[in-house]
Amino acid sequence: MKSLTECATNSLEWRRGDSSPLSFELRNDDGTFATLVFLDKECILARVETAEGTWTLKHLGVLNPVVTLREEGGKVNLATFHPHAFRHGKLEFQDGAVFDWTWHHGMGPGGTFTDQEGTPLVRIHARTGRDLTSPPGLEQGDVELNSAHSARFRHALLAAFGWYLVIFDHLKVRDEVAAETGLRM
C-alpha cells in the first residue's frame, strides 16, 4: 500500500474491493492508497488501512450519534466525528486538529472535509452502480485532494472517514425509503 504523501495526482477513486461487497479501495493508476472494509451488514463498524496504519471507525448512538476513530485493537478514541444539523459535522482529533464535513446538496451522495479556515482538503462524490440492491448500493466514488495543504498525510484517513459517512448515510436513507414504502403497501 502506498502513502498519499507520495501520490503524484490529486484525483483518486473509491472502488469496490474483491474481498466482500462491503470492501472498498482508494486507488488510481499508481496503486492502492487506502482500504475501507465494513465489518458488519449495518455498516456501523469498519476497518481502515493506509500506509500509515490501521484503524476502526464505529458509529455510536441514536439521539446523539458520533463516529469514533481508534487504532485497531485500541481503546482510546483518536478522533470523534460529531454530526450537526443542516448536514454538517466536525471531526476532532485528540492532537487538536479539527476538520469540518459538509454534505453536498443536489449533486448526489458526497461531501467535503475542510480545514478550520474553510480550505477544501478532500472532496468525495459517490457514483451509483448497476447493483443498487445489495449493500451498500454505491459502487464507486471520486476523490479530489488538495495537494497544497500541509496535512496531506491525513488525506487518506479523511477520504476513508468521508467514504464511511457517505456509505452509512446512503444505507440509512435507503432503509428509511424502504420502510416508508413498506408502510404504504
Side-chain angles (χ1 to χ4, degrees):
M1 189 163 312
K2 297 182 173 194
S3 174
L4 274 181
T5 58
E6 303 164 11
C7 183
T9 182
N10 296 333
S11 297
L12 296 111
E13 178 179 64
W14 280 109
R15 296 181 196 161
R16 286 258 184 130
D18 294 333
S19 63
S20 82
L22 295 172
S23 69
F24 297 89
E25 296 177 345
L26 182 61
R27 303 185 48 82
N28 69 12
D29 291 340
D30 296 330
T32 301
F33 295 90
T35 60
L36 176 69
V37 178
F38 288 93
L39 303 174
D40 59 355
K41 291 179 183 176
E42 295 80 26
C43 294
I44 291 173
L45 179 64
R47 181 176 53 256
V48 174
E49 185 176 355
T50 71
E52 289 75 28
T54 305
W55 299 272
T56 58
L57 296 170
K58 187 172 186 179
H59 186 275
L60 301 169
V62 176
L63 296 177
N64 294 311
V66 298
V67 179
T68 61
L69 170 75
R70 295 180 176 182
E71 284 187 82
E72 188 172 42
K75 297 186 188 280
V76 176
N77 293 341
L78 300 177
T80 305
F81 176 79
H82 301 275
H84 298 297
F86 308 113
R87 311 278 293 159
H88 292 273
K90 189 172 293 295
L91 177 59
E92 300 177 82
F93 281 83
Q94 207 176 38
D95 67 3
V98 177
F99 303 96
D100 290 317
W101 172 257
T102 304
W103 289 96
H104 297 163
H105 297 286
M107 297 171 37
T112 302
F113 272 115
T114 60
D115 63 15
Q116 289 298 283
E117 288 77 40
T119 304
L121 302 177
V122 176
R123 287 179 201 219
I124 300 170
H125 177 74
R127 291 183 276 141
T128 57
R130 288 182 228 160
D131 182 14
L132 297 178
T133 58
S134 67
L138 296 176
E139 298 292 321
Q140 299 176 0
D142 298 317
V143 178
E144 293 176 46
L145 306 175
N146 179 337
S147 62
H149 198 272
S150 62
R152 185 154 177 153
F153 71 93
R154 276 202 175 128
H155 281 71
L157 197 51
L158 292 176
F161 213 112
W163 190 240
Y164 174 92
L165 294 173
V166 168
I167 296 295
F168 187 85
D169 187 68
H170 175 74
L171 287 174
K172 183 176 74 172
V173 169
R174 188 188 70 183
D175 292 347
E176 288 170 359
V177 169
E180 185 177 307
T181 303
L183 289 174
R184 289 184 193 160
M185 293 183 169

Short mmCIF file of all heavy atoms in Angstrom, two decimals, residues 33-97:
data_model
loop_
_atom_site.label_atom_id
_atom_site.label_comp_id
_atom_site.label_asym_id
_atom_site.label_seq_id
_atom_site.Cartn_x
_atom_site.Cartn_y
_atom_site.Cartn_z
N PHE A 33 -4.11 3.28 -2.06
CA PHE A 33 -3.66 4.20 -1.02
C PHE A 33 -4.40 4.01 0.30
O PHE A 33 -3.96 4.50 1.33
CB PHE A 33 -3.79 5.64 -1.50
CG PHE A 33 -2.89 5.93 -2.66
CD1 PHE A 33 -3.33 5.75 -3.96
CD2 PHE A 33 -1.60 6.37 -2.45
CE1 PHE A 33 -2.49 6.00 -5.03
CE2 PHE A 33 -0.75 6.61 -3.53
CZ PHE A 33 -1.20 6.43 -4.82
N ALA A 34 -5.54 3.33 0.26
CA ALA A 34 -6.30 3.04 1.48
C ALA A 34 -7.32 1.97 1.17
O ALA A 34 -7.72 1.78 0.02
CB ALA A 34 -7.00 4.29 2.00
N THR A 35 -7.74 1.27 2.22
CA THR A 35 -8.86 0.34 2.10
C THR A 35 -9.85 0.65 3.21
O THR A 35 -9.48 1.14 4.28
CB THR A 35 -8.43 -1.13 2.20
OG1 THR A 35 -7.80 -1.36 3.47
CG2 THR A 35 -7.48 -1.51 1.07
N LEU A 36 -11.11 0.37 2.94
CA LEU A 36 -12.18 0.51 3.91
C LEU A 36 -13.03 -0.74 3.80
O LEU A 36 -13.56 -1.04 2.73
CB LEU A 36 -13.02 1.75 3.63
CG LEU A 36 -14.24 1.97 4.52
CD1 LEU A 36 -13.81 2.31 5.94
CD2 LEU A 36 -15.12 3.08 3.96
N VAL A 37 -13.13 -1.49 4.90
CA VAL A 37 -13.90 -2.72 4.92
C VAL A 37 -14.91 -2.62 6.05
O VAL A 37 -14.54 -2.45 7.22
CB VAL A 37 -12.99 -3.96 5.13
CG1 VAL A 37 -13.83 -5.23 5.20
CG2 VAL A 37 -11.94 -4.05 4.06
N PHE A 38 -16.19 -2.72 5.68
CA PHE A 38 -17.24 -2.74 6.70
C PHE A 38 -17.28 -4.13 7.30
O PHE A 38 -17.29 -5.13 6.58
CB PHE A 38 -18.58 -2.34 6.10
CG PHE A 38 -18.64 -0.88 5.77
CD1 PHE A 38 -18.30 -0.44 4.50
CD2 PHE A 38 -19.01 0.03 6.73
CE1 PHE A 38 -18.34 0.91 4.19
CE2 PHE A 38 -19.04 1.39 6.43
CZ PHE A 38 -18.71 1.83 5.16
N LEU A 39 -17.31 -4.20 8.62
CA LEU A 39 -17.21 -5.48 9.32
C LEU A 39 -18.56 -6.03 9.74
O LEU A 39 -18.63 -7.11 10.32
CB LEU A 39 -16.30 -5.32 10.54
CG LEU A 39 -14.89 -4.80 10.20
CD1 LEU A 39 -14.10 -4.53 11.48
CD2 LEU A 39 -14.16 -5.78 9.30
N ASP A 40 -19.64 -5.30 9.44
CA ASP A 40 -20.99 -5.77 9.75
C ASP A 40 -21.94 -5.31 8.65
O ASP A 40 -21.65 -4.39 7.90
CB ASP A 40 -21.44 -5.28 11.13
CG ASP A 40 -21.45 -3.77 11.25
OD1 ASP A 40 -21.02 -3.07 10.30
OD2 ASP A 40 -21.89 -3.27 12.28
N LYS A 41 -23.09 -5.96 8.55
CA LYS A 41 -24.04 -5.66 7.48
C LYS A 41 -24.69 -4.29 7.63
O LYS A 41 -25.12 -3.70 6.65
CB LYS A 41 -25.13 -6.72 7.44
CG LYS A 41 -24.63 -8.06 6.97
CD LYS A 41 -25.74 -9.08 6.97
CE LYS A 41 -25.18 -10.42 6.55
NZ LYS A 41 -26.16 -11.48 6.60
N GLU A 42 -24.75 -3.77 8.84
CA GLU A 42 -25.36 -2.46 9.08
C GLU A 42 -24.40 -1.31 8.79
O GLU A 42 -24.76 -0.16 8.87
CB GLU A 42 -25.87 -2.35 10.52
CG GLU A 42 -27.00 -3.31 10.85
CD GLU A 42 -26.49 -4.72 11.13
OE1 GLU A 42 -25.34 -4.88 11.56
OE2 GLU A 42 -27.27 -5.67 10.90
N CYS A 43 -23.15 -1.64 8.50
CA CYS A 43 -22.11 -0.63 8.22
C CYS A 43 -21.88 0.30 9.41
O CYS A 43 -21.66 1.50 9.25
CB CYS A 43 -22.42 0.15 6.95
SG CYS A 43 -22.37 -0.89 5.48
N ILE A 44 -21.92 -0.26 10.60
CA ILE A 44 -21.65 0.51 11.81
C ILE A 44 -20.16 0.48 12.15
O ILE A 44 -19.59 1.47 12.56
CB ILE A 44 -22.50 -0.03 12.99
CG1 ILE A 44 -23.97 0.29 12.72
CG2 ILE A 44 -22.05 0.53 14.32
CD1 ILE A 44 -24.94 -0.33 13.70
N LEU A 45 -19.53 -0.67 11.95
CA LEU A 45 -18.11 -0.84 12.27
C LEU A 45 -17.32 -1.10 10.99
O LEU A 45 -17.73 -1.90 10.16
CB LEU A 45 -17.94 -2.02 13.23
CG LEU A 45 -16.52 -2.36 13.67
CD1 LEU A 45 -15.90 -1.22 14.47
CD2 LEU A 45 -16.52 -3.65 14.48
N ALA A 46 -16.21 -0.38 10.85
CA ALA A 46 -15.37 -0.55 9.66
C ALA A 46 -13.90 -0.50 10.05
O ALA A 46 -13.52 0.10 11.06
CB ALA A 46 -15.67 0.53 8.64
N ARG A 47 -13.07 -1.14 9.21
CA ARG A 47 -11.62 -1.08 9.38
C ARG A 47 -11.03 -0.29 8.22
O ARG A 47 -11.36 -0.52 7.06
CB ARG A 47 -11.01 -2.48 9.42
CG ARG A 47 -9.48 -2.45 9.62
CD ARG A 47 -8.83 -3.81 9.78
NE ARG A 47 -9.12 -4.76 8.73
CZ ARG A 47 -9.96 -5.80 8.84
NH1 ARG A 47 -10.61 -6.02 9.95
NH2 ARG A 47 -10.16 -6.62 7.84
N VAL A 48 -10.15 0.64 8.55
CA VAL A 48 -9.46 1.47 7.57
C VAL A 48 -7.99 1.13 7.63
O VAL A 48 -7.41 1.06 8.72
CB VAL A 48 -9.63 2.98 7.90
CG1 VAL A 48 -8.80 3.83 6.97
CG2 VAL A 48 -11.08 3.37 7.85
N GLU A 49 -7.39 0.93 6.46
CA GLU A 49 -5.95 0.69 6.41
C GLU A 49 -5.33 1.66 5.41
O GLU A 49 -5.83 1.82 4.30
CB GLU A 49 -5.65 -0.74 6.01
CG GLU A 49 -4.17 -1.05 6.07
CD GLU A 49 -3.87 -2.51 5.78
OE1 GLU A 49 -4.80 -3.31 5.61
OE2 GLU A 49 -2.67 -2.84 5.70
N THR A 50 -4.26 2.32 5.84
CA THR A 50 -3.46 3.17 4.97
C THR A 50 -2.00 2.77 5.18
O THR A 50 -1.70 1.93 6.03
CB THR A 50 -3.63 4.68 5.30
OG1 THR A 50 -2.99 4.96 6.55
CG2 THR A 50 -5.10 5.08 5.36
N ALA A 51 -1.11 3.39 4.45
CA ALA A 51 0.32 3.12 4.65
C ALA A 51 0.77 3.53 6.05
O ALA A 51 1.76 3.02 6.56
CB ALA A 51 1.14 3.86 3.59
N GLU A 52 0.00 4.44 6.66
CA GLU A 52 0.38 4.95 7.97
C GLU A 52 -0.16 4.12 9.13
O GLU A 52 0.25 4.33 10.28
CB GLU A 52 -0.10 6.41 8.12
CG GLU A 52 0.67 7.40 7.27
CD GLU A 52 0.31 7.36 5.78
OE1 GLU A 52 -0.83 6.98 5.43
OE2 GLU A 52 1.18 7.68 4.96
N GLY A 53 -1.10 3.20 8.89
CA GLY A 53 -1.61 2.38 9.98
C GLY A 53 -2.97 1.79 9.68
O GLY A 53 -3.50 1.91 8.58
N THR A 54 -3.53 1.14 10.71
CA THR A 54 -4.85 0.52 10.62
C THR A 54 -5.70 1.02 11.78
O THR A 54 -5.25 1.05 12.93
CB THR A 54 -4.74 -1.02 10.68
OG1 THR A 54 -3.82 -1.45 9.66
CG2 THR A 54 -6.07 -1.69 10.47
N TRP A 55 -6.95 1.39 11.45
CA TRP A 55 -7.87 1.97 12.43
C TRP A 55 -9.24 1.34 12.28
O TRP A 55 -9.53 0.68 11.29
CB TRP A 55 -8.01 3.48 12.20
CG TRP A 55 -6.75 4.22 12.34
CD1 TRP A 55 -6.23 4.75 13.50
CD2 TRP A 55 -5.81 4.55 11.32
NE1 TRP A 55 -5.03 5.37 13.23
CE2 TRP A 55 -4.75 5.26 11.90
CE3 TRP A 55 -5.76 4.31 9.95
CZ2 TRP A 55 -3.67 5.73 11.18
CZ3 TRP A 55 -4.68 4.77 9.23
CH2 TRP A 55 -3.65 5.48 9.84
N THR A 56 -10.10 1.60 13.27
CA THR A 56 -11.50 1.25 13.16
C THR A 56 -12.34 2.51 13.27
O THR A 56 -11.99 3.46 13.98
CB THR A 56 -11.94 0.25 14.25
OG1 THR A 56 -11.69 0.81 15.53
CG2 THR A 56 -11.23 -1.08 14.10
N LEU A 57 -13.45 2.50 12.55
CA LEU A 57 -14.47 3.54 12.62
C LEU A 57 -15.73 2.88 13.15
O LEU A 57 -16.07 1.78 12.73
CB LEU A 57 -14.76 4.13 11.24
CG LEU A 57 -13.62 4.86 10.56
CD1 LEU A 57 -13.99 5.16 9.11
CD2 LEU A 57 -13.30 6.13 11.29
N LYS A 58 -16.41 3.56 14.07
CA LYS A 58 -17.62 2.97 14.63
C LYS A 58 -18.65 4.05 14.89
O LYS A 58 -18.37 5.06 15.53
CB LYS A 58 -17.30 2.23 15.93
CG LYS A 58 -18.47 1.45 16.47
CD LYS A 58 -18.06 0.59 17.66
CE LYS A 58 -19.21 -0.30 18.09
NZ LYS A 58 -18.82 -1.14 19.22
N HIS A 59 -19.87 3.81 14.40
CA HIS A 59 -21.00 4.71 14.63
C HIS A 59 -21.65 4.32 15.95
O HIS A 59 -21.99 3.15 16.16
CB HIS A 59 -22.00 4.58 13.48
CG HIS A 59 -23.12 5.55 13.57
ND1 HIS A 59 -24.23 5.34 14.32
CD2 HIS A 59 -23.27 6.77 13.00
CE1 HIS A 59 -25.04 6.38 14.22
NE2 HIS A 59 -24.48 7.26 13.41
N LEU A 60 -21.81 5.28 16.83
CA LEU A 60 -22.39 5.04 18.15
C LEU A 60 -23.54 6.00 18.39
O LEU A 60 -23.47 7.17 18.01
CB LEU A 60 -21.35 5.26 19.25
CG LEU A 60 -20.09 4.41 19.20
CD1 LEU A 60 -19.06 4.93 20.18
CD2 LEU A 60 -20.42 2.96 19.48
N GLY A 61 -24.59 5.52 19.03
CA GLY A 61 -25.68 6.38 19.47
C GLY A 61 -26.74 6.61 18.41
O GLY A 61 -26.51 6.45 17.22
N VAL A 62 -27.93 6.99 18.90
CA VAL A 62 -29.04 7.28 18.02
C VAL A 62 -29.46 8.74 18.19
O VAL A 62 -29.51 9.49 17.22
CB VAL A 62 -30.24 6.33 18.32
CG1 VAL A 62 -31.44 6.71 17.48
CG2 VAL A 62 -29.84 4.90 18.08
N LEU A 63 -29.74 9.16 19.41
CA LEU A 63 -30.17 10.53 19.65
C LEU A 63 -29.02 11.52 19.54
O LEU A 63 -29.18 12.64 19.04
CB LEU A 63 -30.85 10.65 21.01
CG LEU A 63 -32.14 9.84 21.16
CD1 LEU A 63 -32.68 9.97 22.56
CD2 LEU A 63 -33.17 10.29 20.14
N ASN A 64 -27.87 11.15 20.03
CA ASN A 64 -26.66 11.97 19.94
C ASN A 64 -25.56 11.15 19.29
O ASN A 64 -24.59 10.76 19.94
CB ASN A 64 -26.21 12.45 21.33
CG ASN A 64 -27.21 13.39 21.94
OD1 ASN A 64 -27.66 14.34 21.30
ND2 ASN A 64 -27.58 13.14 23.18
N PRO A 65 -25.67 10.89 17.98
CA PRO A 65 -24.71 9.98 17.34
C PRO A 65 -23.32 10.60 17.20
O PRO A 65 -23.17 11.83 17.09
CB PRO A 65 -25.33 9.74 15.96
CG PRO A 65 -26.15 10.95 15.70
CD PRO A 65 -26.65 11.40 17.04
N VAL A 66 -22.33 9.75 17.24
CA VAL A 66 -20.94 10.11 16.96
C VAL A 66 -20.32 8.95 16.19
O VAL A 66 -20.82 7.83 16.20
CB VAL A 66 -20.11 10.39 18.24
CG1 VAL A 66 -20.65 11.56 19.02
CG2 VAL A 66 -20.00 9.15 19.11
N VAL A 67 -19.22 9.24 15.51
CA VAL A 67 -18.41 8.20 14.89
C VAL A 67 -17.03 8.32 15.50
O VAL A 67 -16.44 9.42 15.52
CB VAL A 67 -18.35 8.35 13.36
CG1 VAL A 67 -17.47 7.26 12.75
CG2 VAL A 67 -19.75 8.30 12.75
N THR A 68 -16.50 7.22 16.00
CA THR A 68 -15.19 7.23 16.64
C THR A 68 -14.14 6.62 15.72
O THR A 68 -14.43 5.77 14.89
CB THR A 68 -15.22 6.46 17.96
OG1 THR A 68 -15.57 5.10 17.71
CG2 THR A 68 -16.19 7.09 18.95
N LEU A 69 -12.91 7.07 15.91
CA LEU A 69 -11.74 6.54 15.21
C LEU A 69 -10.77 6.06 16.27
O LEU A 69 -10.41 6.82 17.18
CB LEU A 69 -11.09 7.62 14.35
CG LEU A 69 -9.73 7.26 13.76
CD1 LEU A 69 -9.92 6.29 12.59
CD2 LEU A 69 -9.00 8.51 13.30
N ARG A 70 -10.36 4.79 16.15
CA ARG A 70 -9.38 4.21 17.08
C ARG A 70 -8.36 3.43 16.29
O ARG A 70 -8.64 2.94 15.20
CB ARG A 70 -10.05 3.23 18.04
CG ARG A 70 -11.03 3.84 18.99
CD ARG A 70 -11.64 2.80 19.89
NE ARG A 70 -12.53 3.42 20.86
CZ ARG A 70 -13.17 2.77 21.79
NH1 ARG A 70 -13.04 1.45 21.89
NH2 ARG A 70 -13.94 3.39 22.63
N GLU A 71 -7.16 3.31 16.86
CA GLU A 71 -6.21 2.36 16.29
C GLU A 71 -6.84 0.99 16.43
O GLU A 71 -7.53 0.71 17.43
CB GLU A 71 -4.88 2.41 17.04
CG GLU A 71 -4.04 3.61 16.68
CD GLU A 71 -2.67 3.53 17.31
OE1 GLU A 71 -1.81 2.84 16.72
OE2 GLU A 71 -2.48 4.13 18.37
N GLU A 72 -6.62 0.13 15.44
CA GLU A 72 -7.22 -1.20 15.51
C GLU A 72 -6.77 -1.89 16.79
O GLU A 72 -5.58 -1.95 17.11
CB GLU A 72 -6.82 -2.03 14.30
CG GLU A 72 -7.57 -3.34 14.24
CD GLU A 72 -7.34 -4.09 12.95
OE1 GLU A 72 -6.18 -4.14 12.48
OE2 GLU A 72 -8.31 -4.63 12.42
N GLY A 73 -7.73 -2.39 17.55
CA GLY A 73 -7.46 -3.06 18.82
C GLY A 73 -7.32 -2.09 19.98
O GLY A 73 -7.22 -2.53 21.13
N GLY A 74 -7.32 -0.80 19.73
CA GLY A 74 -7.16 0.20 20.78
C GLY A 74 -8.46 0.51 21.50
O GLY A 74 -9.55 0.20 21.03
N LYS A 75 -8.33 1.15 22.65
CA LYS A 75 -9.49 1.50 23.46
C LYS A 75 -9.66 3.01 23.59
O LYS A 75 -10.61 3.48 24.21
CB LYS A 75 -9.38 0.87 24.84
CG LYS A 75 -9.38 -0.65 24.81
CD LYS A 75 -9.41 -1.23 26.19
CE LYS A 75 -9.22 -2.71 26.18
NZ LYS A 75 -10.35 -3.49 25.86
N VAL A 76 -8.75 3.77 23.00
CA VAL A 76 -8.79 5.23 23.10
C VAL A 76 -9.23 5.83 21.77
O VAL A 76 -8.72 5.46 20.71
CB VAL A 76 -7.39 5.77 23.48
CG1 VAL A 76 -7.38 7.29 23.50
CG2 VAL A 76 -6.94 5.21 24.82
N ASN A 77 -10.19 6.75 21.83
CA ASN A 77 -10.63 7.44 20.62
C ASN A 77 -9.55 8.43 20.19
O ASN A 77 -9.21 9.34 20.95
CB ASN A 77 -11.93 8.18 20.86
CG ASN A 77 -13.10 7.26 21.10
OD1 ASN A 77 -13.04 6.08 20.75
ND2 ASN A 77 -14.14 7.78 21.72
N LEU A 78 -9.03 8.25 18.98
CA LEU A 78 -8.05 9.19 18.43
C LEU A 78 -8.75 10.38 17.80
O LEU A 78 -8.17 11.46 17.69
CB LEU A 78 -7.17 8.49 17.40
CG LEU A 78 -6.37 7.30 17.93
CD1 LEU A 78 -5.59 6.66 16.80
CD2 LEU A 78 -5.42 7.76 19.04
N ALA A 79 -9.99 10.16 17.37
CA ALA A 79 -10.79 11.24 16.80
C ALA A 79 -12.25 10.90 16.98
O ALA A 79 -12.62 9.73 17.09
CB ALA A 79 -10.47 11.43 15.32
N THR A 80 -13.08 11.93 17.02
CA THR A 80 -14.52 11.76 17.13
C THR A 80 -15.20 12.70 16.15
O THR A 80 -14.86 13.88 16.08
CB THR A 80 -15.00 12.07 18.57
OG1 THR A 80 -14.26 11.25 19.48
CG2 THR A 80 -16.48 11.78 18.73
N PHE A 81 -16.14 12.15 15.41
CA PHE A 81 -16.93 12.94 14.47
C PHE A 81 -18.29 13.20 15.10
O PHE A 81 -18.97 12.28 15.55
CB PHE A 81 -17.12 12.18 13.15
CG PHE A 81 -18.01 12.90 12.18
CD1 PHE A 81 -17.51 13.96 11.43
CD2 PHE A 81 -19.32 12.52 12.01
CE1 PHE A 81 -18.34 14.63 10.53
CE2 PHE A 81 -20.15 13.18 11.12
CZ PHE A 81 -19.65 14.24 10.38
N HIS A 82 -18.67 14.48 15.14
CA HIS A 82 -19.96 14.91 15.68
C HIS A 82 -20.80 15.47 14.55
O HIS A 82 -20.49 16.57 14.05
CB HIS A 82 -19.76 15.98 16.75
CG HIS A 82 -18.92 15.54 17.91
ND1 HIS A 82 -19.43 14.86 18.98
CD2 HIS A 82 -17.59 15.67 18.13
CE1 HIS A 82 -18.46 14.59 19.83
NE2 HIS A 82 -17.33 15.07 19.34
N PRO A 83 -21.85 14.75 14.12
CA PRO A 83 -22.72 15.32 13.09
C PRO A 83 -23.55 16.46 13.69
O PRO A 83 -23.91 16.42 14.87
CB PRO A 83 -23.60 14.15 12.67
CG PRO A 83 -23.54 13.18 13.79
CD PRO A 83 -22.26 13.42 14.52
N HIS A 84 -23.83 17.47 12.88
CA HIS A 84 -24.63 18.61 13.32
C HIS A 84 -25.84 18.74 12.41
O HIS A 84 -25.94 18.10 11.37
CB HIS A 84 -23.80 19.89 13.27
CG HIS A 84 -22.62 19.88 14.17
ND1 HIS A 84 -22.71 19.80 15.53
CD2 HIS A 84 -21.29 19.90 13.90
CE1 HIS A 84 -21.49 19.79 16.06
NE2 HIS A 84 -20.61 19.84 15.09
N ALA A 85 -26.72 19.61 12.80
CA ALA A 85 -27.90 19.90 11.98
C ALA A 85 -27.45 20.49 10.65
O ALA A 85 -26.32 20.94 10.49
CB ALA A 85 -28.81 20.88 12.71
N PHE A 86 -28.34 20.47 9.70
CA PHE A 86 -28.11 21.06 8.38
C PHE A 86 -26.99 20.37 7.62
O PHE A 86 -26.27 20.98 6.86
CB PHE A 86 -27.85 22.57 8.47
CG PHE A 86 -28.89 23.30 9.25
CD1 PHE A 86 -28.58 23.88 10.46
CD2 PHE A 86 -30.19 23.37 8.79
CE1 PHE A 86 -29.55 24.55 11.19
CE2 PHE A 86 -31.16 24.02 9.51
CZ PHE A 86 -30.85 24.62 10.71
N ARG A 87 -26.80 19.04 7.89
CA ARG A 87 -25.89 18.21 7.10
C ARG A 87 -24.43 18.65 7.20
O ARG A 87 -23.71 18.65 6.22
CB ARG A 87 -26.34 18.16 5.65
CG ARG A 87 -27.79 17.85 5.44
CD ARG A 87 -28.15 16.42 5.50
NE ARG A 87 -27.55 15.71 4.37
CZ ARG A 87 -27.36 14.42 4.39
NH1 ARG A 87 -27.73 13.72 5.42
NH2 ARG A 87 -26.82 13.82 3.38
N HIS A 88 -24.01 19.02 8.37
CA HIS A 88 -22.62 19.36 8.63
C HIS A 88 -22.11 18.48 9.76
O HIS A 88 -22.87 17.81 10.43
CB HIS A 88 -22.47 20.83 9.04
CG HIS A 88 -22.78 21.78 7.95
ND1 HIS A 88 -21.84 22.20 7.03
CD2 HIS A 88 -23.93 22.38 7.59
CE1 HIS A 88 -22.40 23.02 6.18
NE2 HIS A 88 -23.67 23.16 6.49
N GLY A 89 -20.82 18.52 9.98
CA GLY A 89 -20.24 17.79 11.10
C GLY A 89 -18.82 18.25 11.35
O GLY A 89 -18.22 18.97 10.55
N LYS A 90 -18.29 17.83 12.48
CA LYS A 90 -16.94 18.23 12.88
C LYS A 90 -16.18 16.98 13.31
O LYS A 90 -16.66 16.21 14.14
CB LYS A 90 -17.01 19.24 14.01
CG LYS A 90 -15.68 19.87 14.36
CD LYS A 90 -15.82 20.99 15.35
CE LYS A 90 -16.55 22.19 14.85
NZ LYS A 90 -15.98 22.96 13.79
N LEU A 91 -14.99 16.81 12.73
CA LEU A 91 -14.10 15.71 13.07
C LEU A 91 -12.97 16.30 13.91
O LEU A 91 -12.19 17.12 13.42
CB LEU A 91 -13.55 15.04 11.81
CG LEU A 91 -12.55 13.91 12.00
CD1 LEU A 91 -13.15 12.78 12.83
CD2 LEU A 91 -12.08 13.40 10.65
N GLU A 92 -12.90 15.87 15.17
CA GLU A 92 -11.91 16.41 16.11
C GLU A 92 -10.94 15.31 16.51
O GLU A 92 -11.34 14.29 17.06
CB GLU A 92 -12.60 16.97 17.34
CG GLU A 92 -13.58 18.09 17.00
CD GLU A 92 -14.31 18.60 18.21
OE1 GLU A 92 -13.73 19.44 18.94
OE2 GLU A 92 -15.45 18.15 18.43
N PHE A 93 -9.65 15.56 16.23
CA PHE A 93 -8.60 14.62 16.60
C PHE A 93 -8.09 14.96 17.99
O PHE A 93 -8.13 16.10 18.43
CB PHE A 93 -7.44 14.68 15.60
CG PHE A 93 -7.71 13.92 14.34
CD1 PHE A 93 -8.44 14.50 13.31
CD2 PHE A 93 -7.25 12.61 14.17
CE1 PHE A 93 -8.69 13.80 12.14
CE2 PHE A 93 -7.50 11.91 13.01
CZ PHE A 93 -8.22 12.50 12.00
N GLN A 94 -7.58 13.94 18.66
CA GLN A 94 -7.05 14.10 20.01
C GLN A 94 -5.88 15.09 20.05
O GLN A 94 -5.69 15.77 21.05
CB GLN A 94 -6.59 12.73 20.51
CG GLN A 94 -6.60 12.55 21.98
CD GLN A 94 -6.22 11.13 22.34
OE1 GLN A 94 -5.35 10.53 21.71
NE2 GLN A 94 -6.86 10.58 23.35
N ASP A 95 -5.13 15.21 18.95
CA ASP A 95 -3.99 16.13 18.92
C ASP A 95 -4.40 17.58 18.65
O ASP A 95 -3.55 18.45 18.51
CB ASP A 95 -2.94 15.68 17.90
CG ASP A 95 -3.43 15.77 16.46
OD1 ASP A 95 -4.56 16.23 16.20
OD2 ASP A 95 -2.66 15.35 15.56
N GLY A 96 -5.71 17.85 18.55
CA GLY A 96 -6.20 19.21 18.37
C GLY A 96 -6.57 19.56 16.94
O GLY A 96 -7.18 20.61 16.70
N ALA A 97 -6.23 18.73 15.98
CA ALA A 97 -6.61 19.00 14.59
C ALA A 97 -8.13 18.85 14.45
O ALA A 97 -8.72 17.92 14.99
CB ALA A 97 -5.90 18.05 13.64
#
